[in-house]
Amino acid sequence: QVQLQESGPGLVKPSQTLSLTCTVSGGSITTNPYYWKWFRQPPGEGQEWMGAISASGNTYYSPSLKSRTSISRNTSKNQFTLQLTSVTPEDTAVYYCARDTQVLTSSNSAIWGQGTQVTVSS
C-alpha cells in the first residue's frame, strides 16, 4: 500500500525558501502512470494545486507559482521535494503531497499525505 509523508520546517521567515520533502513508501516514484503532486490549502481557502513531477521526471507548475516553485526528486530515496522561494505570510498553508494518475485534477484514486502546516512569519 502506497503511503506518502510530508516533512519540513513548520516555520519559515519571510523572503526565505520553503523546502518540503515527500517520502513515499510502498511504491516507486518512477512507476508509470503516476504523477507526484504538491497542493496547499491556506487558512479559510480552498485547495490549490502547485505542481507535479511525473514518473519519468517531467515537471509541471501552476502558472501563478511557476516563477517561485521547483519540484525535484531523489529516486534513490524515493522522495520528491518542493521548493518555494521568496515566501510571504500569504504562503502560510497546510501543504500536501499526493500521488495521482492525473497531473492537474484529482482522481478518485489519488493517495494523499496527511499534510504539514507551514507558517511564514518573522
Side-chain angles (χ1 to χ4, degrees):
Q1 181 177 352
V2 174
Q3 294 183 317
L4 293 84
Q5 179 66 59
E6 305 90 348
S7 61
L11 180 64
V12 183
K13 290 183 175 359
S15 81
Q16 291 186 342
T17 296
L18 181 163
S19 293
L20 296 174
T21 296
C22 184
T23 301
V24 179
S25 59
S28 172
I29 62 172
T30 61
T31 299
N32 283 312
Y34 298 111
Y35 297 93
W36 304 90
K37 302 159 69 167
W38 286 100
F39 292 83
R40 67 181 182 179
Q41 186 164 14
E45 298 184 27
Q47 198 174 64
E48 178 183 21
W49 177 81
M50 301 182 70
I53 187 165
S54 71
S56 57
N58 296 320
T59 52
Y60 309 83
Y61 298 108
S62 165
S64 65
L65 295 171
K66 185 175 182 178
S67 64
R68 298 195 293 131
T69 306
S70 177
I71 297 174
S72 59
R73 66 180 185 172
N74 184 326
T75 55
S76 64
K77 294 184 178 180
N78 215 37
Q79 297 174 331
F80 63 106
T81 300
L82 170 74
Q83 288 195 317
L84 183 67
T85 63
S86 304
V87 297
T88 71
E90 286 67 39
D91 294 310
T92 295
V94 178
Y95 286 75
Y96 298 90
C97 58
R99 186 196 83 170
D100 207 342
T101 54
Q102 302 171 17
V103 64
L104 287 177
T105 54
S106 295
S107 74
N108 291 334
S109 62
I111 298 175
W112 295 83
Q114 65 181 26
T116 186
Q117 173 70 46
V118 177
T119 300
V120 179
S121 174
S122 56

